[in-house]
Amino acid sequence: RRSGRDQLRVDGLCACSPRLPHLLTTGDKWHHTASGPSAGKMRGPTPGVKARAPVSGFLFLLEDLFIYLFIYLLIYLFIYLFIYLLPAMDGDTKTMTFLQEVVDILMAYIVESFDRETKVIDFHYPNELLQLNNWELQDEPATLDDILISCRATLKYAIKTAHPRYFNQLSTGLDMVGLAADWLTSTANTNMFTYEVAPVFVLLEYVTLKKMREIIGWSDGRGDGIFSPGGAISNMYAMLLARFKMFPEVKEKGMSSVPKLVAFTSEHVRTQTDALFVQSLNQMSDFPAQFSSSHFSIKKGAAALGIGTESVICIKADECGKLIPADLERRILEAKHKGFVPFFVSATAGTTVYGAFDPLIAISDICKKYNVWFHVDGAWGGSLLMSRRHRWKLDGVERANSVTWNPHKMMSVPLQCSALLVREEGLMQSCNQMHACYLFQQDKHYDLSYDTGDKALQCGRHVDIFKLWLMWRAKGTIGFEAQIDKCLELSEYLYNKIKDREGYQMVFDGKPQHTNVCFWYLPPGIRYMEDKEEKKKRLHKVAPVIKARMMEYGTTMVSYQPQGDKVNFFRMVISNPAATFEDIDFLIEEIERLGHDL
């Protein structure tokens, strides 16, 4: 039996947890109810319900102890996680301690990332990594100590993209000023759609985009632009603007209001094994099916905009990956003859695999002749405009209607940072604005041209500008120029070291135009094989095995892929400012060490 005082204590516990009222809290026949008119009262046995057997006082004590511990644990976790951290009152000290510990973890990781004695990757297979830590989300809050453990575990198994021997992607390296800017951006935690919520960031985007347009060569930096979530979205913006420019009615009436549109980009050399597939596609399409080596985003953009991937016509490229202007003009005329409307040409300044630069002047002449939007996808190669030694590779870019430029690649700005630059001012606003009155009121007390959100497809837009702007302030244009020139110098050094080295074969003749160096490594076991087909078959397996061993040892990372009828080869790209000539030497020796027995 329980006294009235005990029952009040039980009622208090029940108020803390919705589950506890349903626990039996009395001996043989009394229990508590949390609902109905008798809620919170003691009542007798329910008719037809068998009473619980008497329980000893000791078991009652254990039961109460368990309940108290459970409640105190929940309260402790709540207090530890939330009450002591801001915005809780007097939570600044606890918050500073917690964030300082996080910064200590980050600083240790940063220093380690630049240490050549550390691994680029601590590789584990997915099922192993899932078992190493408890990654599942729980209903109950974790302690701050557990949060810090999770931070350490996440970085332990992360790829050290700042490591001087990480060459796997186009985006590598870690700039300290850019990192600081990223931290500041996250602290500010605002949106880019209006001046009223992001005044400084909006102005910095205006200033930086204008500077980038000046570097492209547009008079006085006139035009428009926006920072978007990557080059694929920037390219899609360009297609969207090109379509609107030619057929503005499509914005309201849709694709049924316009004729069949076609776009053009450079081709991918087909493999013999693709022949039957291509032949079947050709029977269903007005244009021969091909596979593009230019950015896949052109086809993705066509699909997203309702234009269709079959409306992207692939233009022949030479053996170095450059688009052939004569074939572009031929295909434009062919499309017009069939009743289609050419509306968009995407030339590439720095292809992803070969690093090729399309002949922009010749392409722009063709676009002007046939009144087609001329876009330059300079996501990878656009940063060479910062270099007086290499900007000639983009001669003619000033004639473009739009340009994609990704500073998060060759300029090593922290991900993500991609800009679309547009020559015609006001076109983006006309194309995309929807006049959302709850955001873009027309009677605001400042210049409404700084409310940039209505010209974007997104409403919520991340602040990507500050890290680029702050790095530009820290380095100056000459600092970026030196960084880019150094990366190109390293790629030339690699090319000169392996072009005549035993066991290496270049994928195409001639010095690379960008930092892309494409080559095969032929291990001694297949180097002198006379059966060409068998040699090709075995060579196809070499790069994947060496790459797998690189990751398992954690010494370095470099990408590989097939291209057309060419079997798997290494595609070395250099964009990491931390890389040196010694790191290039190490890469060559490591490939040979890991592949000598193949």
Side-chain angles (χ1 to χ4, degrees):
R1 303 295 186 271
R2 298 300 175 97
S3 68
R5 185 181 62 181
D6 290 336
Q7 182 57 40
L8 289 174
R9 176 175 53 80
V10 172
D11 288 344
L13 289 175
C14 293
C16 294
S17 173
R19 292 188 189 179
L20 292 180
H22 303 288
L23 294 175
L24 290 175
T25 58
T26 63
D28 53 344
K29 60 181 181 179
W30 299 101
H31 68 276
H32 186 275
T33 179
S35 60
S38 60
K41 298 179 180 179
M42 301 295 290
R43 61 186 177 89
T46 303
V49 177
K50 187 176 180 179
R52 194 173 69 168
V55 183
S56 70
F58 177 73
L59 291 180
F60 274 121
L61 180 62
L62 288 178
E63 185 180 12
D64 284 353
L65 181 61
F66 171 77
I67 292 172
Y68 275 125
L69 288 175
F70 181 73
I71 294 298
Y72 288 154
L73 177 61
L74 290 180
I75 293 173
Y76 170 77
L77 290 174
F78 178 81
I79 291 175
Y80 193 67
L81 273 180
F82 302 109
I83 295 180
Y84 287 163
L85 293 181
L86 291 172
M89 186 177 297
D90 299 325
D92 51 344
T93 301
K94 189 69 176 179
T95 300
M96 288 291 291
T97 301
F98 171 67
L99 291 180
Q100 184 59 58
E101 291 184 36
V102 173
V103 170
D104 290 343
I105 293 171
L106 297 177
M107 289 302 301
Y109 178 79
I110 291 168
V111 172
E112 189 179 63
S113 294
F114 289 97
D115 184 359
R116 288 171 175 80
E117 299 301 317
T118 63
K119 290 184 176 182
V120 175
I121 173 178
D122 184 3
F123 178 76
H124 292 78
Y125 290 97
N127 59 327
E128 296 175 341
L129 193 53
L130 282 171
Q131 295 172 6
L132 282 173
N133 288 275
N134 180 16
W135 307 103
E136 297 298 325
L137 297 173
Q138 309 294 334
D139 292 335
E140 294 77 20
T143 67
L144 290 184
D145 286 338
D146 287 335
I147 297 301
L148 294 173
I149 290 171
S150 296
C151 290
R152 293 187 184 94
T154 300
L155 290 178
K156 173 178 171 57
Y157 301 111
I159 310 299
K160 294 183 177 65
T161 58
H163 198 288
R165 292 170 182 171
Y166 176 77
F167 305 107
N168 203 66
Q169 306 299 138
L170 304 181
S171 303
T172 63
L174 182 62
D175 185 272
M176 295 302 102
V177 174
L179 177 63
D182 224 0
W183 290 351
L184 186 148
T185 297
S186 294
T187 303
N189 191 32
T190 192
N191 198 322
M192 284 294 290
F193 50 41
T194 61
Y195 177 83
E196 66 180 282
V197 299
V200 177
F201 296 135
V202 166
L203 292 178
L204 295 184
E205 186 174 67
Y206 172 82
V207 168
T208 306
L209 289 172
K210 183 175 185 293
K211 182 68 174 180
M212 295 172 80
R213 292 192 297 266
E214 289 175 355
I215 292 173
I216 287 172
W218 294 337
S219 178
D220 298 324
R222 294 194 185 97
D224 207 342
I226 198 168
F227 282 87
S228 73
I233 302 300
S234 292
N235 287 340
M236 188 177 74
Y237 266 119
M239 295 187 78
L240 182 68
L241 294 173
R243 184 180 65 177
F244 178 80
K245 177 69 175 176
M246 186 171 285
F247 298 103
E249 64 270 22
V250 74
K251 178 178 178 180
E252 295 182 356
K253 298 180 180 179
M255 286 297 295
S256 61
S257 66
V258 301
K260 177 69 175 178
L261 303 177
V262 287
F264 304 84
T265 191
S266 63
E267 75 167 1
H268 179 108
V269 180
R270 287 176 287 149
T271 66
Q272 305 241 343
T273 56
D274 291 328
L276 291 177
F277 177 61
V278 173
Q279 184 178 3
S280 66
L281 283 181
N282 289 342
Q283 292 171 356
M284 298 183 289
S285 176
D286 294 289
F287 296 98
Q290 299 175 37
F291 299 89
S292 178
S293 65
S294 59
H295 207 285
F296 70 93
S297 61
I298 302 303
K299 286 193 173 183
K300 280 203 170 188
L305 296 175
I307 296 166
T309 58
E310 289 187 0
S311 296
V312 178
I313 302 173
C314 297
I315 308 303
K316 290 181 180 179
D318 62 23
E319 64 177 15
C320 295
K322 298 180 182 181
L323 182 145
I324 301 174
D327 191 58
L328 171 63
E329 185 166 20
R330 180 181 71 83
R331 300 306 296 275
I332 289 177
L333 290 172
E334 180 182 306
K336 291 171 71 71
H337 179 73
K338 292 182 177 182
F340 299 105
V341 178
F343 83 106
F344 181 81
V345 171
S346 178
T348 310
T351 58
T352 303
V353 179
Y354 283 1
F357 289 79
D358 289 340
L360 302 183
I361 294 176
I363 294 171
S364 69
D365 288 341
I366 295 169
C367 290
K368 184 177 181 180
K369 181 177 180 180
Y370 297 102
N371 192 31
V372 180
W373 184 282
F374 176 36
H375 174 65
V376 174
D377 179 2
W380 174 223
S383 297
L384 269 62
L385 289 168
M386 306 286 280
S387 168
R388 288 166 290 186
R389 188 185 306 173
H390 297 284
R391 68 168 290 134
W392 63 269
K393 298 169 185 176
L394 290 95
D395 282 352
V397 68
E398 70 281 357
R399 302 186 183 186
N401 297 100
S402 56
V403 176
T404 292
W405 180 351
N406 286 9
H408 68 230
K409 292 180 178 175
M410 275 301 290
M411 295 167 71
S412 292
V413 176
L415 285 159
Q416 62 193 17
C417 188
S418 173
L420 175 73
L421 295 312
V422 184
R423 188 167 61 183
E424 182 176 339
E425 189 172 1
L427 185 62
M428 291 192 74
Q429 189 79 9
S430 300
C431 179
N432 296 323
Q433 67 181 351
M434 291 296 167
H435 304 290
C437 61
Y438 68 96
L439 287 175
F440 309 112
Q441 302 91 341
Q442 297 303 299
D443 53 358
K444 291 182 179 181
H445 62 289
Y446 58 81
D447 185 349
L448 296 180
S449 67
Y450 291 103
D451 281 359
T452 58
D454 215 11
K455 70 180 180 182
L457 293 177
Q458 305 164 256
C459 180
R461 189 160 64 92
H462 188 261
V463 178
D464 293 329
I465 179 58
F466 188 63
K467 49 200 171 187
L468 171 59
W469 179 85
L470 199 64
M471 285 178 63
W472 209 323
R473 293 276 282 193
K475 293 176 182 287
T477 305
I478 60 172
F480 275 127
E481 178 182 35
Q483 176 179 312
I484 291 164
D485 287 349
K486 176 193 171 186
C487 289
L488 283 145
E489 187 179 353
L490 288 174
S491 68
E492 186 174 353
Y493 175 78
L494 172 62
Y495 169 74
N496 289 330
K497 284 212 66 165
I498 66 174
K499 65 177 181 178
D500 299 318
R501 188 183 181 97
E502 184 179 9
Y504 290 84
Q505 182 180 337
M506 306 309 299
V507 172
F508 58 88
D509 295 330
K511 186 172 70 172
Q513 286 197 59
H514 207 337
T515 68
N516 308 53
V517 181
C518 301
F519 61 91
W520 289 285
Y521 172 68
L522 289 76
I526 66 173
R527 197 170 297 171
Y528 306 107
M529 291 182 65
E530 295 182 0
D531 186 333
K532 292 184 178 180
E533 286 303 314
E534 181 64 21
K535 182 177 183 179
K536 187 175 182 179
K537 182 179 178 181
R538 293 194 184 185
L539 182 59
H540 185 64
K541 300 177 181 179
V542 170
V545 173
I546 293 178
K547 172 65 176 291
R549 291 177 177 180
M550 285 178 178
M551 295 179 68
E552 288 168 1
Y553 281 102
T555 52
T556 185
M557 286 180 68
V558 61
S559 182
Y560 74 86
Q561 67 282 304
Q563 178 86 350
D565 60 352
K566 296 177 173 62
V567 299
N568 282 322
F569 57 86
F570 287 109
R571 181 209 61 170
M572 173 70 171
V573 288
I574 305 170
S575 60
N576 192 340
T580 64
F581 295 107
E582 290 75 17
D583 296 315
I584 303 301
D585 293 336
F586 175 85
L587 174 73
I588 296 171
E589 293 167 3
E590 188 68 357
I591 288 175
E592 294 172 357
R593 182 182 76 86
L594 297 174
H596 75 280
D597 62 332
L598 299 179

